[in-house]
Amino acid sequence: MKSFGLRIGLFIFFLNACSPNEIRIGGECRWLVGDTVVLYGLSAENGDTLLLAVQRVEKGIIDLRTDELQLPAKVGLEIGGKKIFFIVDSKEIVCLGKEEQDSSKIRIESGELEREYQVVYRILNQKYEIPAQKLQEKIQVLEGRQEKTESERKALEELYRNLDRCKRYKKEYIKKTIQANPTHELSLFLLWDELGDEVECQDSLFREIKIMNKKSNIYRLLAQKLL
């Protein structure tokens, strides 16, 4: 793919001539010459970080290949000193950057699962994460005062109640989204990413999910943890 000005392209291909599970992440990133790019995921056997591919970029060309994942799976890409996480399914992915030498501007446009995940993520961020962050900032200010007035103590108690409510509502939204989509593989990624600290909730919801593809990396990760 050509690189026009500030645009960086990455594509994912399934190579029929090789292993049916082999994927290739490649493209042209001219500002990465001499850098090392790392692709990694999680082992479905024990949940440990699994190194999938490493490359020292020459002439700005990336070519990472692996056949160690059963798709769909979430992978991490270390590129330009930044870590980017995205879901890999059977679709093409594209990586775009607003500034050619600032990988923090890179965003991933992947397959259908990643696009759907980003829709849910934006909802969670706008409805729950941003409000929770603002509450935490106000709490931090009040907690930093050594001597608090009675009104400040009451305000602090109310802030903590609102923060707890915000976290509870977020959990309920995720739970209802998963329950409404028991046959959709997106539910597996929400279960793993958003409810990782809620083992009992994870276990209960995982048993409600009816996914046909039980060989995927994400399904096996959850099964290994919960079953």
Side-chain angles (χ1 to χ4, degrees):
M1 177 177 181
K2 294 182 180 179
S3 177
F4 295 98
L6 305 182
R7 181 169 180 143
I8 303 164
L10 286 180
F11 293 94
I12 191 165
F13 303 98
F14 289 77
L15 307 180
N16 294 326
C18 303
S19 165
N21 296 317
E22 185 173 62
I23 62 173
R24 174 189 171 211
I25 296 178
E28 186 175 16
C29 295
R30 296 175 182 174
W31 51 274
L32 284 176
V33 175
D35 285 9
T36 298
V37 180
V38 180
L39 181 69
Y40 59 94
L42 293 177
S43 168
E45 303 301 326
N46 52 29
D48 290 344
T49 300
L50 182 66
L51 185 63
L52 301 174
V54 180
Q55 178 197 353
R56 182 175 174 81
V57 181
E58 302 294 342
K59 299 181 181 180
I61 303 299
I62 294 176
D63 187 6
L64 296 167
R65 306 186 187 201
T66 181
D67 61 359
E68 297 188 56
L69 293 177
Q70 294 285 340
L71 302 180
K74 177 162 281 191
V75 299
L77 184 67
E78 289 190 10
I79 178 172
K82 302 292 181 179
K83 293 182 180 179
I84 305 171
F85 299 92
F86 52 94
I87 298 170
V88 176
D89 52 19
S90 59
K91 305 295 182 180
E92 177 185 86
I93 67 168
V94 179
C95 180
L96 301 174
K98 292 182 180 178
E99 295 181 12
E100 198 166 26
Q101 296 190 22
D102 185 357
S103 61
S104 66
K105 299 295 184 180
I106 290 175
R107 72 180 186 273
I108 295 291
E109 295 179 0
S110 186
E112 188 66 25
L113 280 177
E114 176 64 19
R115 286 193 289 271
E116 292 176 353
Y117 185 91
Q118 289 302 321
V119 170
V120 176
Y121 178 81
R122 283 193 292 271
I123 293 173
L124 293 175
N125 193 49
Q126 294 170 1
K127 293 185 67 173
Y128 307 110
E129 292 296 335
I130 292 177
Q133 183 179 357
K134 291 180 179 179
L135 288 169
Q136 288 172 335
E137 290 172 355
K138 292 179 180 180
I139 288 172
Q140 187 176 9
V141 171
L142 289 177
E143 287 286 17
R145 296 177 183 175
Q146 292 184 349
E147 295 184 5
K148 302 178 183 65
T149 65
E150 182 64 23
S151 62
E152 286 174 339
R153 285 194 291 270
K154 290 182 178 180
L156 192 57
E157 291 174 358
E158 182 64 20
L159 287 169
Y160 273 116
R161 282 193 293 269
N162 289 338
L163 181 60
D164 181 69
R165 188 180 300 116
C166 195
K167 292 178 179 178
R168 189 169 66 252
Y169 287 171
K170 176 186 175 183
K171 178 181 173 181
E172 284 301 313
Y173 180 89
I174 296 168
K175 181 178 178 180
K176 289 178 181 179
T177 300
I178 293 172
Q179 289 176 323
N181 299 276
T183 62
H184 197 331
E185 286 176 313
L186 176 65
S187 294
L188 297 175
F189 291 98
L190 291 175
L191 199 57
W192 180 264
D193 289 342
E194 302 295 340
L195 296 175
D197 296 329
E198 304 281 348
V199 179
E200 289 186 8
C201 183
Q202 266 192 328
D203 182 71
S204 175
L205 290 171
F206 185 62
R207 295 176 189 278
E208 295 181 29
I209 289 176
K210 308 297 180 184
I211 300 294
M212 295 295 293
N213 178 17
K214 293 180 170 57
K215 294 182 179 181
S216 71
N217 183 260
I218 184 62
Y219 187 94
R220 291 167 61 205
L221 276 170
L222 284 163
Q224 185 272 336
K225 177 181 179 181
L226 301 171
L227 300 182

